[in-house]
Amino acid sequence: MKFHRIKGVEDHYWEESWVIYQSNFPSGEQRSLADHKRALEDDRYHCMAILEDNQVAGILFYWKLSPFVFAEYLAIGEALKGQGIGSEVLSLLKQQVGRLILEIDPPEDKVAVRRMRFYQREGFILNPYLHLNLPLRIGQEKLPLRIMTVEEILSKAEYEAFSTILMTDLIQYGEGYREK
């Protein structure tokens, strides 16, 4: 397995990565293509194709936000799910970065509980903070999510710093929040 950083939509692996992205996340949690293109111009954004034998097996889109790394999207292609690729990706990512943060749906249904347990097996801890993420699409509601981190819970000050970055900086890459 290897990671390939996609820096623009002209990249050889873009189309397959985009299909995995669109098929694995609800539309309200996705950036539009135009906003994604703008995010790709931000050096902090890492749009990674996960490659197995030079074929796209999945995606990992994350932000390097000193001192945090925010794993915004992780998805494996449908045909390869359940083969341990997601676990391997997280293991590699944890070795390469500092404070790793991700968002999950509240563990209120079977799918969300299963996803939370997957991350817990990978060393993530559910944080206690109530977290609303602003939608990336016009017409979508704020999303109640939960934060998970590796090894230790964020302090309240760390959580507030992370939330501020999301709400004042990264949100500009959503269609309802574009700078005019």
Side-chain angles (χ1 to χ4, degrees), residues 53-164:
D53 300 323
N54 288 322
Q55 299 296 315
V56 178
I59 61 164
L60 171 64
F61 299 170
Y62 67 91
W63 294 88
K64 284 191 173 182
L65 307 168
S66 184
F68 311 112
V69 172
F70 172 42
E72 189 174 33
Y73 299 101
L74 169 62
I76 305 303
E78 197 61 42
L80 297 172
K81 287 184 180 179
Q83 297 183 24
I85 295 171
S87 294
E88 190 176 345
V89 167
L90 288 173
S91 178
L92 290 170
L93 187 62
K94 289 187 297 187
Q95 293 171 23
Q96 296 176 10
V97 301
R99 296 294 305 272
L100 186 56
I101 301 172
L102 54 81
E103 299 169 325
I104 62 167
D105 291 324
E108 298 170 348
D109 61 48
K110 288 180 183 180
V111 172
V113 169
R114 188 177 71 225
R115 190 170 294 126
M116 179 188 70
R117 288 186 179 145
F118 164 75
Y119 287 119
Q120 287 173 326
R121 285 191 304 273
E122 301 303 321
F124 285 83
I125 301 167
L126 192 63
N127 282 232
Y129 309 108
L130 297 176
H131 180 70
L132 284 178
N133 196 0
L134 296 179
L136 295 172
R137 295 292 184 105
I138 293 172
Q140 298 291 321
E141 297 294 321
K142 291 180 180 179
L143 302 171
L145 299 173
R146 297 296 303 269
I147 297 293
M148 296 188 83
T149 51
V150 174
E151 296 178 0
E152 63 184 354
I153 292 172
L154 295 175
S155 70
K156 185 154 181 66
E158 288 173 321
Y159 169 73
E160 289 172 356
F162 169 70
S163 182
T164 297

